[in-house]
Amino acid sequence: MKKILFAALALLGVSVSTAYAEPVELRFTSVYIDRHPVVQNAFIPWMEEIKKRTNGEVVITYFNPGTICPNNEMFSAVKNGAVDIASTNTNLSNGVLFLSDAANVPFLFKNAESAAMAIWRISQKYPEWAEEFDGMKMLTQYTSALMMIHSTKKPVTKFSDIRGMKLTTVGGLDRDILKALKANPIFVPLPDTYMSLSRGMADGACLAIAPLRSFKITETIKYSVNDPIAASPMWMAMSNDAWNRLTPEQQAIFTETTGEVLARAIGRALDDSSSSDAKWMEEQGHVFNQFSPEEKAKLVKATEGIADKWVKKAEKQGIANASKILADLRALGEQTAAELDQEKAGK
């Protein structure tokens, strides 16, 4: 029977090895737990699209953070092939992704989708930016939802209210931003934020709305300032070993479905979930405040030096055009926000 089947396959031009080839199975992990909106509304649809378009020849399985690799080791794990695909914050790369951290400079972006578009485009414009990911296959870059200040006991309505507050942060330039705002930053990994706040170890957090509900942080905070301050830059890459296991046709499908396409899907998932979660939080009695234009101007002025500090540090590291890169990123933030506004107006 097998001989007859093999002969039939040969007549059809299908090799026996291809006909009986096992699917390429890839392990994917990120900083987001599986119920997070990015996983549910961006990663899983992308994984399903890959499986569909490769006719089941490539199957991606998602693993929660910390299950197959610690968050702060994802960069090295992808580079050495221990993990097939990973995605996390650039500040968890032991300083390797310095250029990408430019997207952490405050007041660059209006929302997560436009920020994702901007950071992906800048990564394609400057070779030195992409070179930070040498040794792996970059799939896309994006940012977190935009971060704002949340508090457990007292509302924040003025710049002066921030002074002396102990606020958790996941790192990066966020610590410099909080110091510039006269707060006391405390580095706390996102999964541990609930415990820190519930035990009174901090007065609040500087986080986006997106992870608050999924990490149960909404159970500890009562007030938020609905004014975005900064975004946390993120990356998503694939090990070269995993990439080389794909056929050229499969690689083309990965290229077509990642890049700005996936960046936008992630940004849109973050923005949509932020809006819906904010509405849900208000229904639970959560209070959202907003800075007056005068108070917002104080925040902008207080953090002006962070951009200059980043440029000077980059120049010391040999990035002569650091100032231009940051200026282009700022311009792209405005350009992509305008593009989205035009798209919405045209609907």
Side-chain angles (χ1 to χ4, degrees):
M1 180 65 71
K2 284 186 178 179
K3 289 182 179 179
I4 295 173
L5 178 59
F6 290 168
L9 290 171
L11 288 173
L12 292 171
V14 178
S15 71
V16 173
S17 59
T18 299
Y20 283 86
E22 293 291 331
V24 176
E25 296 183 354
L26 303 174
R27 301 195 305 168
F28 175 20
T29 188
S30 86
V31 70
Y32 299 120
I33 54 179
D34 52 13
R35 64 178 179 270
H36 191 283
V38 165
V39 179
Q40 290 294 315
N41 301 321
F43 288 164
I44 290 178
W46 171 71
M47 292 159 56
E48 291 174 344
E49 181 73 3
I50 290 293
K51 184 176 181 179
K52 177 182 176 182
R53 292 186 58 178
T54 62
N55 297 315
E57 294 173 357
V58 179
V59 178
I60 304 171
T61 302
Y62 188 79
F63 292 84
N64 275 329
T67 56
I68 60 172
C69 175
N71 289 344
N72 62 352
E73 294 179 14
M74 286 186 191
F75 186 80
S76 59
V78 171
K79 201 160 190 176
N80 64 32
V83 171
D84 298 317
I85 304 172
S87 180
T88 191
N89 307 69
T90 61
N91 66 284
L92 296 178
S93 63
N94 297 317
V96 175
L97 303 178
F98 181 78
L99 272 177
S100 296
D101 280 340
N104 202 182
V105 168
F107 304 110
L108 290 180
F109 308 117
K110 182 178 178 181
N111 52 50
E113 187 173 0
S114 64
M117 294 162 67
I119 192 173
W120 173 252
R121 291 181 189 182
I122 200 104
S123 74
Q124 301 304 289
K125 181 175 181 179
Y126 288 97
E128 54 267 53
W129 189 297
E131 285 170 6
E132 291 189 331
F133 295 91
D134 279 352
M136 61 181 69
K137 173 61 180 178
M138 168 56 58
L139 295 179
T140 194
Q141 278 201 268
Y142 58 101
T143 74
S144 68
L146 273 64
M147 294 171 287
M148 54 187 67
I149 293 173
H150 313 278
S151 52
T152 59
K153 295 180 180 178
K154 68 172 187 176
V156 174
T157 60
K158 303 188 298 294
F159 175 45
S160 59
D161 291 335
I162 304 171
R163 181 182 291 273
M165 289 184 69
K166 291 184 291 183
L167 298 174
T168 68
T169 170
V170 294
L173 289 182
D174 301 348
R175 284 174 284 194
D176 292 337
I177 294 170
L178 291 179
K179 285 180 180 179
L181 299 178
K182 309 301 181 185
N184 294 320
I186 304 171
F187 174 72
V188 178
L190 193 55
D192 299 330
T193 301
Y194 169 84
M195 184 178 296
S196 296
L197 295 175
S198 63
R199 292 183 177 182
M201 297 166 64
D203 303 312
C206 184
L207 291 171
I209 289 177
L212 299 182
R213 190 174 180 181
S214 57
F215 282 94
K216 298 185 178 181
I217 298 169
T218 49
E219 296 177 10
T220 66
I221 56 174
K222 297 180 180 178
Y223 308 96
S224 297
V225 187
N226 198 19
D227 275 295
I229 296 175
S232 179
M234 314 282 289
W235 60 269
M236 178 177 171
M238 187 174 186
S239 74
N240 281 342
D241 289 343
W243 179 255
N244 292 332
R245 288 163 58 195
L246 304 177
T247 66
E249 293 77 14
Q250 292 166 349
Q251 290 176 347
I253 292 170
F254 269 72
T255 300
E256 292 167 9
T257 57
T258 55
E260 188 165 325
V261 173
L262 185 55
R264 289 195 62 174
I266 295 169
R268 196 177 309 118
L270 288 167
D271 288 334
D272 290 347
S273 67
S274 294
S275 297
S276 60
D277 281 1
K279 182 179 179 181
W280 175 84
M281 289 165 67
E282 286 184 311
E283 291 171 351
Q284 308 306 308
H286 194 89
V287 177
F288 282 89
N289 296 306
Q290 200 144 5
F291 290 120
S292 67
E294 294 77 17
E295 293 297 324
K296 177 73 173 287
K298 292 178 184 177
L299 268 71
V300 174
K301 183 173 179 60
T303 57
E304 282 178 348
I306 293 175
D308 295 334
K309 182 179 178 180
W310 180 86
V311 169
K312 289 177 182 177
K313 188 174 180 180
E315 289 174 344
K316 285 183 179 179
Q317 293 194 10
I319 306 170
N321 59 344
S323 181
K324 185 177 187 307
I325 290 174
L326 184 57
D328 283 355
L329 182 58
R330 191 183 300 276
L332 279 170
E334 296 174 356
Q335 176 186 322
T336 53
E339 287 179 22
L340 290 181
D341 287 341
Q342 290 176 353
E343 285 183 12
K344 291 176 182 177
K347 287 182 178 179

